[in-house]
Amino acid sequence: MKHSLYLKFILIYLVFGLLGFLVIATFSSRMTLNYLTSQESESLYREANYISTNFVRSYYSDSPNASSLEDIHTHFQALDTYLNASIWLLNADGTLLVNSDASLSENPDTVIEEFDPTDMGSSYYVIGNFYGLFEEETLTVVTPITYNFRPRGYVLIHMPMSLLYEKRDGILNVSYLTLLLIFALSLMILAVFTFTVYRPLKKITEAARQYAQGNFKYQPEIYGEDEIGQLAATLNYMAHELNETDEYQKKFVANISHDFRSPLTSIKGYVEAMLDGTIPPEMQEKYLNIVLMETERLNKLTSGLLTLNSFDTKKNRLDITDFDINTVIKNTVSSFEGRCTERHISIELLFDAKEQFVSADIGKIQQVLYNLLDNAIKFSPNDSQITIETTLRHEKVFISVKDQGIGIPRDSMKKIWERFYKTDTSRGKDKKGTGLGLSIVKEIITSHGEHINAISTEGVGTEFIFTLPHVHEE
């Protein structure tokens, strides 16, 4: 079952609360009654001792001022109301002389024949019906009255246990109410935990399951600035990135399939035509050159993919050296001399210093310059000019490649760094492009920790500017 662990926790919590309540109720009832009995018996015993010493002992003396039974009875009745208990005076033989609950004449010469103080053992109180004289349980305290070192009688105080039960119940009711309040508060805490922790975690778990199934558009509706909210926001961001990666992979496969399929289809078609005689032998050289051109295009596409993959896997190592960027630019420009002469394109070099030393991977920077200059020539009209400029500012060398070509549409500016991206004009004008050149340029400059930007106006031209760290010539 789903969420069984949480349900088990709730069940265990409720059972624990119920059992805890029962255990506390049982033991608290017993302990509270024992405590009240001990306290009350001790208090009554002190009171009995006080009565025995100060009011009753004189009754057994030969003094003319000795207390009479009437005096003792009056005093017992007053204490009876105060203590809420019955007070008796017994002779040593068990004869009841004074009972605070009755008049002196009601029970004359009542004898408790079974009365034996030794039955109480070492305790000074006993609980029971006191030899069958009471119909309910009674707490009885016995104090001897001694005169001339001989026991003459006993003072007994009887308190109904129902009074102690009432006190116990009153205390327990307060305790039970406190426990119920604590339990209710704990349930509120559990409810808060459920709504603030468990339910969001449940949604996050569902989101993780959806992501595992490939549904990256699923977003758990969790808001907040706490750790749970931050986790949900991170998951949403991760899902967004995974969705973009997934879309990119689909687009990547579609683009690479298209760019590989076209030359392969041409090669296959021309080779089959030459084999079945559709293309006569005297025309085969022309079409073999086309096959060679398509093969070179495939080779270029494969090399570009391998270059980008080396950056993606972070296995590409830069061989950083100090070199003169102006010299590298001149060497790169010379490799395009034939193409520029054919189309009457001039290249102007503007250097603010004769030598401009930078720290970078010279091979990778040559590739950047080659790709940028190749693009500039490709999209420049005949009889135009390309300007390459180097400028030193704030210990950075800015390298600019500017053409007078067709420009890049504004809505395509953010996409030119994407792999396989080509503007519609590019696809129509140049079928040999792979759409990987600017992606490779971006990856190389980024791997150096530098930046590259593009400025373009349709019909006016495009300028690419990138930076490299400057080093002073020794």
Side-chain angles (χ1 to χ4, degrees):
M1 289 179 60
K2 295 181 179 179
H3 323 309
S4 59
L5 182 60
Y6 182 72
L7 294 178
K8 288 180 180 177
F9 171 76
I10 296 296
L11 181 61
I12 291 174
Y13 178 81
L14 294 176
V15 171
F16 175 78
L18 179 60
L19 291 178
F21 182 82
L22 293 176
V23 170
I24 291 175
T26 303
F27 284 94
S28 295
S29 176
R30 184 178 303 174
M31 293 174 63
T32 303
L33 181 61
N34 291 340
Y35 174 78
L36 291 175
T37 302
S38 175
Q39 293 295 314
E40 198 65 40
S41 61
E42 184 177 348
S43 175
L44 293 178
Y45 184 74
R46 288 197 301 268
E47 195 66 35
N49 270 326
Y50 180 80
I51 295 172
S52 171
T53 304
N54 295 281
F55 296 102
V56 181
R57 180 180 295 177
S58 63
Y59 171 74
Y60 293 97
S61 67
D62 298 329
S63 172
N65 296 324
S67 300
S68 65
L69 291 178
E70 288 79 5
D71 295 335
I72 295 174
H73 182 263
T74 302
H75 187 72
F76 278 14
Q77 284 185 325
L79 289 175
D80 182 306
T81 303
Y82 171 73
L83 297 176
N84 202 14
S86 298
I87 306 174
W88 292 2
L89 174 61
L90 294 181
N91 267 341
D93 59 0
T95 302
L96 177 59
L97 300 179
V98 178
N99 180 357
S100 63
D101 291 334
S103 63
L104 290 175
S105 61
E106 285 183 6
N107 296 310
D109 300 328
T110 300
V111 180
I112 305 174
E113 297 179 355
E114 299 177 356
F115 175 72
D116 186 359
T118 59
D119 291 342
M120 300 177 62
S122 59
S123 178
Y124 51 83
Y125 71 91
V126 65
I127 298 175
N129 57 10
F130 198 70
Y131 304 104
L133 297 177
F134 297 100
E135 295 180 356
E136 60 176 335
E137 277 195 319
T138 304
L139 171 65
T140 300
V141 176
V142 180
T143 302
I145 304 170
T146 58
Y147 185 76
N148 290 334
F149 305 103
R150 290 176 57 193
R152 302 289 185 167
Y154 300 92
V155 174
L156 286 73
I157 301 179
H158 306 283
M159 174 177 284
M161 287 296 294
S162 58
L163 297 177
L164 297 182
Y165 294 152
E166 290 178 3
K167 291 183 179 179
R168 177 201 63 186
D169 293 342
I171 295 174
L172 290 179
N173 287 338
V174 175
S175 300
Y176 295 157
L177 182 59
T178 304
L179 288 175
L180 287 175
L181 288 175
I182 293 174
F183 190 70
L185 289 175
S186 65
L187 287 178
M188 292 177 61
I189 294 174
L190 183 62
V192 172
F193 171 83
T194 300
F195 283 97
T196 60
V197 179
Y198 172 72
R199 291 185 64 183
L201 286 178
K202 180 181 174 183
K203 293 181 179 180
I204 290 175
T205 302
E206 176 62 20
R209 188 180 67 83
Q210 293 289 337
Y211 300 155
Q213 295 176 354
N215 181 17
F216 300 119
K217 294 183 179 180
Y218 180 86
Q219 290 188 347
E221 296 181 357
I222 302 174
Y223 308 98
E225 299 297 330
D226 57 2
E227 288 77 4
I228 298 294
Q230 293 175 8
L231 176 60
T234 303
L235 278 178
N236 287 336
Y237 176 75
M238 180 191 72
H240 174 73
E241 294 297 317
L242 289 175
N243 186 56
E244 287 193 346
T245 301
D246 186 59
E247 294 295 331
Y248 171 77
Q249 288 178 345
K250 293 177 181 178
K251 184 178 179 181
F252 179 86
V253 172
N255 286 330
I256 197 171
S257 298
H258 175 273
D259 285 337
F260 269 95
R261 188 187 302 114
S262 297
L264 287 174
T265 301
S266 299
I267 293 172
K268 180 177 181 293
Y270 290 135
V271 171
E272 288 177 347
M274 285 185 284
L275 288 176
D276 63 16
T278 304
I279 298 177
E282 61 272 13
M283 297 290 293
Q284 288 183 0
E285 182 178 357
K286 172 185 175 181
Y287 291 100
L288 284 174
N289 285 328
I290 297 176
V291 170
L292 179 61
M293 181 185 67
E294 296 292 353
T295 305
E296 289 176 350
R297 183 184 173 197
L298 284 174
N299 182 61
K300 184 178 179 182
L301 181 61
T302 304
S303 299
L305 288 172
L306 291 174
T307 299
L308 288 173
N309 184 66
S310 67
F311 287 103
D312 287 343
T313 57
K314 299 183 180 179
K315 294 180 180 178
N316 186 67
R317 303 294 181 182
L318 297 177
D319 184 14
I320 303 297
T321 57
D322 297 342
F323 59 90
D324 179 20
I325 188 64
N326 293 345
T327 301
V328 174
I329 292 174
K330 292 176 184 177
N331 294 336
T332 305
V333 168
S334 64
S335 64
F336 290 93
E337 185 176 348
R339 288 175 59 186
C340 292
T341 301
E342 181 182 351
R343 297 180 53 194
H344 303 285
I345 296 175
S346 62
I347 299 179
E348 182 181 13
L349 303 180
L350 300 177
F351 303 145
D352 66 347
K354 183 179 180 181
E355 294 179 329
Q356 201 71 268
F357 282 86
V358 296
S359 178
D361 186 321
I362 186 170
K364 296 292 189 296
I365 299 304
Q366 281 179 328
Q367 189 174 5
V368 169
L369 290 169
Y370 184 91
N371 288 349
L372 293 178
L373 194 53
D374 181 64
N375 271 357
I377 295 172
K378 186 186 304 179
F379 299 110
S380 292
N382 296 338
D383 302 312
S384 62
Q385 178 177 288
I386 297 173
T387 303
I388 302 178
E389 184 178 359
T390 59
T391 307
L392 175 62
R393 291 198 300 268
H394 308 295
E395 297 302 316
K396 293 283 186 181
V397 176
F398 289 76
I399 300 96
S400 166
V401 178
K402 184 178 182 181
D403 62 53
Q404 298 174 346
I406 58 177
I408 302 172
R410 180 175 297 179
D411 57 354
S412 299
M413 287 298 295
K414 293 182 179 180
K415 302 178 182 179
I416 60 175
W417 310 111
E418 297 178 5
R419 301 177 186 184
F420 295 106
Y421 179 78
K422 299 180 183 180
T423 62
D424 294 338
T425 304
S426 171
R427 286 195 181 273
K429 182 178 180 65
D430 180 58
K431 300 294 184 180
K432 299 180 183 179
T434 63
L436 298 176
L438 290 181
S439 297
I440 294 174
V441 168
K442 180 73 171 180
E443 293 291 348
I444 290 175
I445 297 302
T446 302
S447 68
H448 280 79
E450 299 296 327
H451 303 280
I452 183 169
N453 295 309
I455 304 171
S456 183
T457 303
E458 288 189 81
V460 177
T462 303
E463 180 180 11
F464 289 92
I465 305 172
F466 66 93
T467 60
L468 292 175
H470 174 257
V471 292
H472 296 278
E473 182 184 2
E474 294 183 0

